[in-house]
Amino acid sequence: MEQTFVMIKPDGVQRNLVGEIISRFERKGLRLSALKMLNVTKEMAYEHYKEHVGKPFFDDLVAYIMSGPVVAMVWEGFDAVQAARSIIGATDPKKADPGSIRGMFATDISRNIIHGADSPDSAKREIKIYF
Ligand code: IDP
Ligand code: MG
């Protein structure tokens, strides 16, 4: 059993997509093991996105993630990291599979609704930040 970290970003919460998103993970067959609604602090945002420090979109990304409450979750199951990434879709909603969350509900790479850890090690690191 693998665990992954998933976070519904502020735009996903503001657009009332929490139930829709959770339902998709449940129907995929993943198991919800932890869930928390919170406001991300600057320290948490920097730690979460430290691989992107220095990139042109970094400051906007931090402001975006702090712009309202998020829903942080741990999902577990067989190959949970990859399963979650496939439900979520590509980073840029324009390139995401139309059936994925980003493909169906987003248009803009800088407002892409949801985060999913990209590896089991990232998931462990991110879970420690939020739980
Ligand atoms: P991921 O969320 O699919 O793992 P990453 O490359 O890790 O994608 O980027 C983290 C987040 O940074 C993205 O989800 C998106 O919110 C934002 N982001 C990534 N690339 C860009 C960009 O080129 N312009 C604006 N925002 C970006
Ligand atoms: Mg990433």
Side-chain angles (χ1 to χ4, degrees), residues 30-81:
L30 296 171
R31 197 180 79 83
L32 182 60
S33 112
L35 179 148
K36 184 181 347 182
M37 190 175 209
L38 74 150
N39 290 292
V40 177
T41 65
K42 196 165 196 175
E43 290 68 33
M44 293 162 94
Y46 271 68
E47 183 59 26
H48 182 160
Y49 284 122
K50 66 181 177 190
E51 67 176 300
H52 298 302
V53 171
K55 293 186 184 169
F57 59 85
F58 181 74
D59 289 348
D60 285 344
L61 175 58
V62 169
Y64 165 41
I65 221 67
M66 293 177 63
S67 65
V70 302
V71 175
M73 298 174 282
V74 180
W75 289 91
E76 61 188 30
F78 178 69
D79 243 344
V81 169

Side-chain angles (χ1 to χ4, degrees), residues 63-110:
Y64 165 41
I65 221 67
M66 293 177 63
S67 65
V70 302
V71 175
M73 298 174 282
V74 180
W75 289 91
E76 61 188 30
F78 178 69
D79 243 344
V81 169
Q82 251 332 105
R85 294 280 288 191
S86 95
I87 299 171
I88 288 169
T91 306
D92 184 350
K94 286 190 281 294
K95 296 181 188 139
D97 182 298
S100 66
I101 292 167
R102 286 168 171 168
M104 186 157 284
F105 300 115
T107 57
D108 181 350
I109 192 169
S110 65

Side-chain angles (χ1 to χ4, degrees), residues 9-17 64 67 111-114:
K9 296 175 174 179
D11 52 333
V13 175
Q14 278 153 20
R15 290 178 53 199
N16 294 329
L17 291 171
Y64 165 41
S67 65
R111 293 289 178 277
N112 62 1
I113 303 258
I114 184 165

